[in-house]
Each structure stands twice: as structure tokens, then as C-alpha cells.
Amino acid sequence: RKTLYTVIYLMYKTASRYDEVHNLCSSQVTVINNKEIVIDWSNRTKSTRTRNQFRADNAINVYDETDHPPIVLETLNDLHLRTTLCNWTATRFDKWIKSVPQPLPKYSAHSFKSLAVTILGQMIVHKLIPPYMLVVMAKHKIDHPDLLPATTNRYLRTLGSVSSVQLRAQLNNT
């Protein structure tokens, strides 16, 4: 399904949970061109409970040096035809994702965010992005520009040969 592909793509690209992405509506998504999609997170997400219009994570420019997949662009351009991107509940999404062939069954509606946050954490360790970008991408409150908040730390997972404990230690020393 085009919609599910788009939801998974955006969860990974924006370090988001299923409930944030599936609730997106046409007023929140702007396809600038084949390489740029702007998402306005200022409403309909868990993060907006603070109602702080100055949060750095209120909007994200999803940029890809190559083009975004045509199926994603088409789905987002047609978003005005429905009320939200996907009408499945998180429970239905979890049930579906566990029914597809490997490697997806190990994921859930929440775990795509953990995967993306962990990859971003490794990018920080390798000095590819500044530490505060991880907090912004995760849509977490920035308390201190040089320290990861506990809400971000809890999303870090073991990836490859680097354990989540090692990654947290490295990130807190950058």
C-alpha cells in the first residue's frame, strides 16, 4: 500500500512515532519539489502539548540529495483527498507489520523512531551532525545544547557492534 510505505518512510526519515506520522493532514505537509518535503509538527503531535511556538522542532525539512521515492511524493500530493495520512490505529499497524516477512516484524509503531534516533546518535559520534540535531529530529525539548535529555537517551538502542550503553557514553562525551 502506498500509504503504509509513505508512513514508514516518514517515520524513519523524521525520527517519528507512528501516531505522529499517521495523523498528518494536508495542511501540515508541503512538497516543495522531488527533493524537499516540509512537515509542520506544530499541531496534532504529542510534542505540541507544550504549545511553544518557538520550539526548533515545530517544522522539519525532509531533504534527500536524490529524489524522494515517487510513491511518497504521489501519496503526499494526494493527501488533501483524505483527513489524515493513514487511518489505521497503532494496534492495527503493529499487527500488520508483524505479519510481513523479515526484517520488519522486529519493528513496531514505536520502534522506527528508536532506529532513526540510534542512527542519528552514531552520526554524532562520527562528527557528521551536531548533537543538538538529534534532539530536534526526535522532537524533544532542548534543555542544554550540549547534553542529550533523558527523553532522547531512552530511544537509543544497540545497533551492529555498538551497544546502547556504549552509544550513550560516547554521546555524553561529545
Side-chain angles (χ1 to χ4, degrees), residues 81-142:
L81 300 174
R82 53 186 171 284
T83 54
T84 60
L85 180 57
C86 185
N87 61 3
W88 284 13
T89 63
T91 304
R92 183 172 179 195
F93 180 83
D94 280 341
K95 186 176 180 180
W96 169 78
I97 207 159
K98 289 182 181 7
S99 73
V100 298
Q102 290 287 342
L104 291 181
K106 66 181 178 180
Y107 294 109
S108 69
H110 232 72
S111 63
F112 281 90
K113 181 171 185 164
S114 296
L115 172 64
V117 166
T118 300
I119 291 169
L120 289 166
Q122 291 191 351
M123 291 174 74
I124 291 168
V125 169
H126 294 288
K127 310 239 185 280
L128 298 173
I129 61 173
Y132 74 88
M133 284 306 302
L134 172 57
V135 183
V136 170
M137 286 296 294
K139 293 172 279 316
H140 295 154
K141 184 178 176 190
I142 300 173

Side-chain angles (χ1 to χ4, degrees), residues 22-159:
H22 97 279
N23 270 325
L24 287 173
C25 63
S26 61
S27 65
Q28 293 174 271
V29 178
T30 305
V31 177
I32 306 293
N33 54 45
N34 291 353
K35 296 178 188 304
E36 271 184 285
I37 301 166
V38 176
I39 299 178
D40 175 5
W41 298 113
S42 64
N43 62 27
R44 301 173 70 130
T45 69
K46 183 176 169 184
S47 300
T48 59
R49 288 186 292 197
T50 62
R51 302 282 183 229
N52 182 346
Q53 65 182 4
F54 302 109
R55 281 184 61 152
D57 58 10
N58 277 341
I60 290 179
N61 185 344
V62 186
Y63 180 81
D64 200 317
E65 288 184 6
T66 60
D67 290 351
H68 290 290
I71 194 170
V72 170
L73 297 169
E74 179 186 333
T75 302
L76 294 177
N77 281 323
D78 291 344
L79 189 53
H80 68 281
L81 300 174
R82 53 186 171 284
T83 54
T84 60
L85 180 57
C86 185
N87 61 3
W88 284 13
T89 63
T91 304
R92 183 172 179 195
F93 180 83
D94 280 341
K95 186 176 180 180
W96 169 78
I97 207 159
K98 289 182 181 7
S99 73
V100 298
Q102 290 287 342
L104 291 181
K106 66 181 178 180
Y107 294 109
S108 69
H110 232 72
S111 63
F112 281 90
K113 181 171 185 164
S114 296
L115 172 64
V117 166
T118 300
I119 291 169
L120 289 166
Q122 291 191 351
M123 291 174 74
I124 291 168
V125 169
H126 294 288
K127 310 239 185 280
L128 298 173
I129 61 173
Y132 74 88
M133 284 306 302
L134 172 57
V135 183
V136 170
M137 286 296 294
K139 293 172 279 316
H140 295 154
K141 184 178 176 190
I142 300 173
D143 293 320
H144 188 282
D146 296 325
L147 300 174
L148 292 180
T151 53
T152 304
N153 270 319
R154 71 186 168 106
Y155 279 96
L156 295 170
R157 302 288 186 266
T158 298
L159 186 64

